[in-house]
Amino acid sequence: MENFHVDENGYYGEFGGAYVPESLKVCVDNLASQYLKIIESKEFQAEFKQLLKDYVGRPSPLYRATRLSTHYNTNIYLKREDLNHTGAHKINNAIGQILIAKYMGISHIIAETGAGQHGVATATVCALMDMKCSIYMGQVDIERQYVNVEKMKMLGAEVISVTSGTMTLTNAVDAALEAWIESENNTFYLLGSAVGPHPYPDMVARLQSVIGEEIKAQLLEQTGRSNPNYLIACVGGGSNAAGTIYHHVHEADVNIILAEAAGKGVDSGMTAATLTLGTSSIIHGYKSYVILDEKGEIAEPYSISAGLDYPGIGPMYANLVDKKRVEIQAITDDEALAAAFRLTRLEGIIPAIESSHALAVLENTKFKPEDVVVLTVSGRGDKDIETYLENVSRFAHVK
Ligand SMILES: *Cc1c(COP(=O)(O)O)cnc(C)c1O
């Protein structure tokens, strides 16, 4: 099988790369020249593994969901990233990157955040490692995400309001990148997903690959085989999916299904279905599929889920789609909501609305009774309770 991981030039097939201005290229190249040596060092691995175990609570369980399996007449195992400290997979990456910053001798972390989940994960690890933390956030998002903003401040972070453009995530990314350039290698830009210029997509995938490493070992222990018939995950930028499939993507007997957010429907104009609708283009310093409007500009994405509401997608997925290695399902808001209520009622697990997109794949796919299906529950639903309550009456009959 061909290589689906990054090549020596920072590309996945024709996607990826580092499309950044010269001033930013210095920062990116500096990171690219150091990250692999650091990640592969014994000292880093020991410290990373220790924190994942004692601070995050890893390994996260691989749980055979008995009632869900009966419901779909197959064998479903849930990878429980929702049980991690801070409630999602994002902490794996945040801990890994802050350790890389430490090994590079940097003690000021900058990051951008949209809904605030990545900002909270970053502020958390900055408190843990006693590092200065500056979070760039659009003013509109600051007003919408009051609780996460207060959490970041409580954790000791400085939240910097960005008032350019639409005052949302894209502008926050630009402001954070500008701050990175101006700092002349005295800050570390902690990116939250498998996106951005090389080496970020590969670095994030490697740090999240602990998910797939555990799946292999846990599945072997529980079923006598380390390869499932299906691996399923949701993709926003693609970090939890990258971790889930990292160690299985070159195994031809493993089918991979990824759920992206269709929003109100792929043809509705209110969608974030990048892999279904996207055009090859450059966004935030890398080449991938991007949703463009009629003018050829980056479209404003929409999804009920803040974590999947992004107009680009990690470059590895553009390549995996082109090479037909993965199946993509675009899941609507309502399909995700139904899946959330179903999991809650069948298993007593309230999933994050992002994860519910992956769970909806179970409803849309025909499995054999002997199939083994592994699905990553990327986060817990506490942060989405308001969304669920607003919709509970419409989904009263879901089983
Ligand atoms: C942020 C987030 C996502 C989307 O990010 P990826 O990088 O695609 O994994 C998915 N699920 C949860 C719970 C999140 O917080």
Side-chain angles (χ1 to χ4, degrees):
M1 202 181 272
E2 69 181 283
N3 175 33
F4 292 113
H5 290 149
V6 79
D7 68 20
E8 62 275 20
N9 300 314
Y11 280 84
Y12 299 84
E14 61 176 281
F15 301 99
Y19 296 81
V20 296
E22 271 315 305
S23 49
L24 194 53
K25 195 90 172 66
V26 179
C27 307
V28 169
D29 284 350
N30 181 38
L31 181 59
S33 69
Q34 298 192 56
Y35 83 108
L36 272 185
K37 220 186 312 153
I38 293 172
I39 289 181
E40 284 167 359
S41 73
K42 267 208 195 87
E43 294 79 8
F44 175 90
Q45 280 299 325
E47 211 172 345
F48 186 42
K49 289 281 153 68
Q50 187 80 43
L51 283 170
L52 289 179
K53 176 170 172 283
D54 296 332
Y55 188 71
V56 177
R58 304 202 72 91
S60 67
L62 182 72
Y63 163 63
R64 186 177 193 284
T66 312
R67 293 189 65 208
L68 197 65
S69 295
T70 303
H71 182 84
Y72 289 113
N73 192 26
T74 190
N75 306 284
I76 299 168
Y77 293 80
L78 301 178
K79 183 57 174 164
R80 300 288 309 278
E81 292 300 298
D82 58 311
L83 294 177
N84 293 342
H85 177 48
T86 67
H89 66 288
K90 285 192 171 75
I91 192 79
N92 306 323
N93 171 54
I95 287 190
Q97 283 194 46
I98 203 164
L99 283 177
I100 292 172
K102 188 179 100 168
Y103 282 81
M104 288 172 75
I106 302 173
S107 61
H108 181 186
I109 301 297
I110 54 178
E112 85 297 331
T113 195
Q117 295 304 117
H118 174 56
V120 170
T122 303
T124 298
V125 297
C126 285
L128 174 71
M129 305 295 289
D130 189 21
M131 289 205 194
K132 185 173 177 209
C133 183
S134 306
I135 306 286
Y136 291 80
M137 191 167 184
Q139 180 58 31
V140 169
D141 288 332
I142 287 180
E143 282 159 26
R144 284 194 291 217
Q145 302 292 339
Y146 171 78
V147 173
N148 279 339
V149 173
E150 291 308 311
K151 259 194 204 172
M152 285 182 255
K153 289 184 185 163
M154 184 169 171
L155 289 159
E158 164 195 29
V159 180
I160 298 156
S161 164
V162 178
T163 54
S164 55
T166 54
M167 304 190 204
T168 55
L169 178 63
T170 302
N171 315 104
V173 172
D174 292 337
L177 288 175
E178 219 161 281
W180 196 24
I181 293 169
E182 280 165 15
S183 81
E184 291 171 357
N185 285 327
N186 288 321
T187 61
F188 185 96
Y189 187 5
L190 205 158
L191 221 163
S193 191
V195 299
H198 176 71
Y200 281 102
D202 183 54
M203 184 167 71
V204 173
R206 283 173 190 264
L207 296 174
Q208 290 288 3
S209 70
V210 62
I211 299 173
E213 192 183 312
E214 289 174 4
I215 289 173
K216 276 212 154 178
Q218 291 167 319
L219 201 61
L220 182 64
E221 192 187 313
Q222 292 184 43
T223 69
R225 50 188 271 201
S226 58
N227 285 3
N229 298 91
Y230 290 88
L231 273 178
I232 301 171
C234 66
V235 280
S239 69
N240 87 87
T244 301
I245 69 175
Y246 194 88
H247 293 288
H248 287 100
V249 71
H250 295 114
E251 314 257 349
D253 59 331
V254 180
N255 298 292
I256 298 173
I257 307 180
L258 303 175
E260 63 177 0
K264 303 277 189 202
V266 290
D267 300 320
S268 68
M270 290 184 75
T271 182
T274 314
L275 291 167
T276 305
L277 295 172
T279 314
S280 176
S281 187
I282 312 268
I283 179 171
H284 297 149
Y286 65 102
K287 189 177 193 188
S288 188
Y289 284 124
V290 181
I291 306 182
L292 302 175
D293 62 19
E294 308 84 60
K295 292 185 210 140
E297 282 161 17
I298 296 169
E300 190 71 29
Y302 164 83
S303 164
I304 191 171
S305 135
L308 305 183
D309 187 355
Y310 177 62
I313 182 95
M316 67 187 70
Y317 302 99
N319 185 48
L320 288 167
V321 166
D322 265 19
K323 305 280 161 65
K324 301 190 167 33
R325 175 62 186 96
V326 296
E327 177 189 337
I328 305 299
Q329 291 191 19
I331 302 296
T332 64
D333 291 355
D334 279 3
E335 289 174 313
L337 286 166
F341 286 107
R342 191 175 299 112
L343 187 72
T344 302
R345 288 163 194 163
L346 286 176
E347 296 286 349
I349 299 170
I350 304 177
I353 186 71
E354 291 85 3
S355 318
S356 305
H357 288 70
L359 290 157
V361 167
L362 299 172
E363 190 76 10
N364 297 346
T365 311
K366 186 84 192 92
F367 301 107
K368 297 197 197 81
E370 66 274 20
D371 280 342
V372 170
V373 179
V374 173
L375 185 152
T376 296
V377 180
S378 54
R380 66 177 83 126
D382 302 38
K383 68 184 178 57
D384 301 308
I385 290 301
E386 259 180 66
T387 304
Y388 290 146
L389 292 184
E390 279 164 20
N391 288 284
V392 70
S393 59
R394 286 203 296 130
F395 294 92
H397 304 291
V398 167
K399 269 207 279 270

